[in-house]
Amino acid sequence: MLMAALEPVPATAAPGPAAAMVLRIPCFSDHRERFYLRLLSASLAAIHQPARIDCVNDLPGRRMWALMGEDQLDLIWGMQTPDKDRLLLPIEVDLTDGLAGQRILLIRPQSQRLFDRVTSIDSLRALNMVAGFGEGWFDAAVWKANRLQLVEFPGQFALMFPMVASGARGIDYLPRGGNEIVAEAAAYNSLVIEQHLLFYYERDMRFYLSPRAARHRQVLESALRAAEASGLKRRLIEQAFGADIKALGLAHRRRIRLASPPQEAARRPQLPR
């Protein structure tokens, strides 16, 4: 036994390359996932983590939620809320440096004269105009907390653009992120970007993992923090949204703070947002 104990131990093989990470994510015909996919891919590549990202196309919000619960999607992005943090596995790195928490309104052209009167939440409320949101979105809870009128739509959100444009479906405007509204206004040219207002709250987008993908959490968080520290994330934000930020004149808009809903009032989310 002593001789066996003194026998040389075989050399440990050098570690091989990291195994490829496979992530199933939602993708959309309007390519709204483009920035998040690029940030995810570039962050993993920067730490030499091989990855394959598979798209599941054009799912409505309720179906996406079901697929996350059934472990048929691995990763989504959405506005950070206590509900999402409790029900899924958050990657605790903000994705847009606060840009996603700024809301600009997509409106019918003839409505601009009405929004010209708005200087506060109270004056927006006095217009008695109705905002449109996807069902269960955090923004809907924000609008409720501020006692503003709204409709939550259970279907594909893209169907809401012609509903607003028609003026006959009970929805007057769509609050949209500064990271998305310019592309949407170009795609739906019967609507325009409201010219003067910026509503904001202290939230940002995050990635969330399904239980099946929990093993990737540490690597993903490390990759995103490294992208933040190196300036990679900031460069990608500038590449994706810099022209839009300039076109929207965010620094010159009237800023109106939105109260966030109490955590206990948060509803089950529909993802991604």
Side-chain angles (χ1 to χ4, degrees):
M1 291 181 64
L2 180 59
M3 289 179 61
L6 294 174
E7 287 178 357
V9 178
T12 304
M21 178 186 298
V22 179
L23 294 170
R24 297 164 298 175
I25 71 166
C27 297
F28 301 89
S29 299
D30 61 6
H31 306 297
R32 73 186 76 161
E33 76 282 355
R34 183 178 294 152
F35 165 72
Y36 302 101
L37 179 56
R38 189 172 185 188
L39 175 60
L40 179 65
S41 300
S43 299
L44 290 170
I47 65 166
H48 309 291
Q49 170 61 55
R52 190 186 85 214
I53 297 174
D54 296 336
C55 281
V56 181
N57 292 315
D58 288 322
L59 297 167
R62 186 172 291 177
R63 181 61 179 150
M64 281 184 282
W65 178 258
L67 290 180
M68 285 293 284
E70 296 166 4
D71 284 335
Q72 295 184 48
L73 280 176
D74 298 311
L75 179 142
I76 53 177
W77 60 96
M79 194 66 71
Q80 183 272 325
T81 68
D83 267 350
K84 295 187 187 81
D85 290 348
R86 177 173 56 86
L87 296 168
L88 296 173
L89 297 169
I91 307 299
E92 296 182 356
V93 180
D94 292 344
L95 300 182
T96 73
D97 287 352
L99 183 62
Q102 302 182 37
R103 290 287 170 268
I104 298 169
L105 309 183
L106 203 56
I107 65 174
R108 294 186 289 273
Q110 61 269 32
S111 297
Q112 181 62 56
R113 60 182 179 82
L114 300 174
F115 287 103
D116 286 343
R117 307 174 191 170
V118 173
T119 59
S120 65
I121 292 295
D122 288 340
S123 54
L124 177 59
R125 193 181 299 121
L127 291 181
N128 289 316
M129 299 183 84
V130 179
F133 300 101
E135 186 180 34
W137 284 6
F138 176 71
D139 276 17
V142 171
W143 251 244
K144 288 178 184 177
N146 288 273
R147 295 183 291 117
L148 296 165
Q149 296 186 54
L150 69 140
V151 166
E152 295 183 73
F153 184 64
Q156 286 279 1
F157 183 74
L159 298 176
M160 297 194 76
F161 296 102
M163 292 170 68
V164 175
S166 76
R169 302 295 298 274
I171 305 173
D172 299 303
Y173 66 97
L174 301 174
R176 305 300 293 150
N179 56 316
E180 58 199 352
I181 193 169
V182 172
E184 291 173 344
Y188 301 94
N189 57 17
S190 55
L191 300 175
V192 298
I193 298 170
E194 195 284 325
Q195 296 172 9
H196 307 300
L197 303 173
L198 188 154
F199 299 88
Y200 70 97
Y201 52 80
E202 306 299 330
R203 298 288 172 119
D204 204 344
M205 305 291 271
R206 287 185 175 175
F207 286 130
Y208 289 88
L209 292 170
S210 70
R212 173 188 175 275
R215 65 189 182 279
H216 301 315
R217 186 179 191 177
Q218 185 174 351
V219 172
L220 287 168
E221 185 160 329
S222 296
L224 290 167
R225 290 202 182 281
E228 197 167 54
S230 69
L232 172 61
K233 184 180 79 168
R234 184 69 251 171
R235 290 194 298 274
L236 292 174
I237 290 172
E238 179 63 28
Q239 289 170 14
F241 307 123
D244 292 352
I245 291 169
K246 184 175 180 180
L248 291 167
L250 296 186
H252 306 293
R253 287 177 172 263
R254 179 179 292 118
R255 294 175 62 86
I256 299 175
R257 189 177 187 279
L258 292 159
S260 292
Q263 291 190 7
E264 60 271 17
R267 294 178 51 189
R268 173 170 160 155
Q270 303 298 320
L271 306 173
R273 168 67 186 82

